[in-house]
Amino acid sequence: MSARSDASEVVVIGGGIAGVATAYYLARAGVPVVLCEKGRVAGEQSSRNWGWIRKQGRDPRELPAIILALRLWEELAEAVDEDIGWRRSGIAYLAESEAELARHAAWLPHAQAHQLDTRLLSLAETDALLGQEARRFKGALFTASDARAEPGLAVPALARAATAQGADIRERCAVRALDLQAGRVAGVITEHGRIVCRAAVLAGGAWSALFLRHHRVELPQLKVKASVQRTTPGPLITETAVGASRAAFRRRQDGGYTLARSGAVTFDITPAALRHFRAFLPALREKWGEMKLRIGRPFVDELTTAASWAVDRPTPFERTRVLDPALDHAVLDQVIRDAAVLFPQLQGVRPVKRWAGMIDVTPDEIPVLGTVDGLPGLLIATGFSGHGFGIGPAAGYLTAQLAMGKTPLVDLHPFRFTRFREGDVTRFG
Ligand SMILES: Cc1cc2nc3c(=O)[nH]c(=O)nc-3n(C[C@H](O)[C@H](O)[C@H](O)COP(=O)(O)OP(=O)(O)OC[C@H]3O[C@@H](n4cnc5c(N)ncnc54)[C@H](O)[C@@H]3O)c2cc1C
């Protein structure tokens, strides 16, 4: 380890959307901030996602934050001065049966409570949206003001904007541990040395729980793997991002489609899964049918990954610079076949690139934002449970407010860390 020592007000751990947005808002407010990313900015979930930015269908506890996030996205799209694919082109959830339509309709009262423009599309409106006369779908839940952006472009552009505001963003710089003095954060220990700081923000995505375990703090957070593909350019069906139970698509800036299936995830049983089995049981039960459960290599890998390590030697964060899991070709092949039936305009498209991402989930599938009991000086922004791209700018904005000692614009009580200990982990839906 080099002897380089450094100082800043705040150190952000993790260069996904949550960390980068936090650094951006701190830098914009004139607060000195260093962001350490073990691999590359947005190398993990934040570039691998579908790019949907939605209020629709959310857990109502997240609505104030996602409403704020859409406002911030609008501003950021202007501020970054690059085309990041931001479009308010709407989101639609299709229903193939009356029962599915009723399930979608059950969300309308939440939309009304927040004066959202969400509504049900009639059969004819749904056909018009899809350029079909098939009457295949019974209707759709639709929010015109929901949006999309290109994940691979948006977060790196935001990182450049943060740098322009004065943030110091360091790639290939793993944080090995917090530097605790008299029981509170006095700095962080990176692979390149120590950085003294007043506060640290843990925005480590799928790695946050492991990082905290080193400090004997247990965060119930598991990982599920989801596979995605982008296709050759195809005819424009609609600019709206569209989800059906067997296939979901989003028009890309390059004229192709990001095509995948919601819920088609692989869950590896690991020691952490066993530790948190009770907390995650309700979520597991609901997703049982869709989810592939496996026990294999990840179990052994996790078992052999020490939860505690010497800070003067390479740690698990340096051994896996970018989490790049093996993808599920069978699921993606099936999605291509299903999409061709559901949306005949997609019959000619072919996959160009496929990838997978590890989604970090909490038992109640809402994030953890705020302080961490027992580790004063540490803030956390993690656990976005598969929908953190959309809400990311708000997570960063609110975390930056906390780091500056301000009252956050949105009540963060539902996202407090202590809810797991309190047993207040009700899932929505
Ligand atoms: C296939 C897929 C589809 C999705 N679709 C959507 C969607 O359409 N809409 C939506 O809103 N969300 C979606 N999501 C979820 C969304 O991508 C995530 O919730 C969001 O990107 C999480 O951001 P993050 O910053 O918390 O984590 P990440 O983007 O995972 O970033 C965490 C970063 O922290 C770094 N790190 C970890 N530990 C350390 C350390 N010790 N030192 C230094 N760096 C460290 C990692 O290298 C990583 O880059 C999807 C996710 C996937 C995988």
Side-chain angles (χ1 to χ4, degrees), residues 15-16 37 39-48 321-324:
E37 163 55 52
R40 57 172 193 273
V41 161
E44 298 192 349
Q45 295 176 82
S46 293
S47 64
R48 291 164 188 257
R321 291 279 173 195
V322 177
L323 195 51
D324 186 20

Side-chain angles (χ1 to χ4, degrees), residues 129-140:
L129 175 80
L130 300 173
Q132 300 190 348
E133 289 174 3
R135 304 198 146 213
R136 187 186 315 277
F137 298 102
K138 306 289 176 207

Side-chain angles (χ1 to χ4, degrees), residues 62 202-203 212 219-221 360-372 379-385 395 399 412 414-420:
E62 289 185 332
L202 176 59
L212 287 173
L219 169 69
Q221 180 192 43
D360 64 316
V361 282
T362 62
D364 49 7
E365 294 174 51
I366 58 172
V368 190
L369 298 173
T371 54
V372 181
L379 295 170
I380 187 164
T382 202
F384 293 95
S385 304
T399 305
L412 295 181
F415 310 119
R416 70 202 182 283
F417 199 135
T418 53
R419 70 185 191 266
F420 304 116

Side-chain angles (χ1 to χ4, degrees), residues 163-176:
T163 305
Q165 297 278 354
D168 176 356
I169 296 187
R170 302 179 188 178
E171 295 186 312
R172 288 188 76 80
C173 181
V175 176
R176 293 178 171 172

Side-chain angles (χ1 to χ4, degrees), residues 13-19 36-53 58 173-176 202-208 211 226-228 317 321 355-360 381-391:
I13 306 161
I17 192 161
C36 299
E37 163 55 52
K38 66 180 171 59
R40 57 172 193 273
V41 161
E44 298 192 349
Q45 295 176 82
S46 293
S47 64
R48 291 164 188 257
N49 65 73
W50 296 6
W52 294 33
I53 299 172
R58 284 218 174 229
C173 181
V175 176
R176 293 178 171 172
L202 176 59
W207 299 85
S208 297
F211 187 88
S227 299
V228 195
F317 307 112
R321 291 279 173 195
W355 64 90
M358 277 298 191
I359 299 178
D360 64 316
T382 202
F384 293 95
S385 304
H387 41 268
F389 181 66
I391 213 168

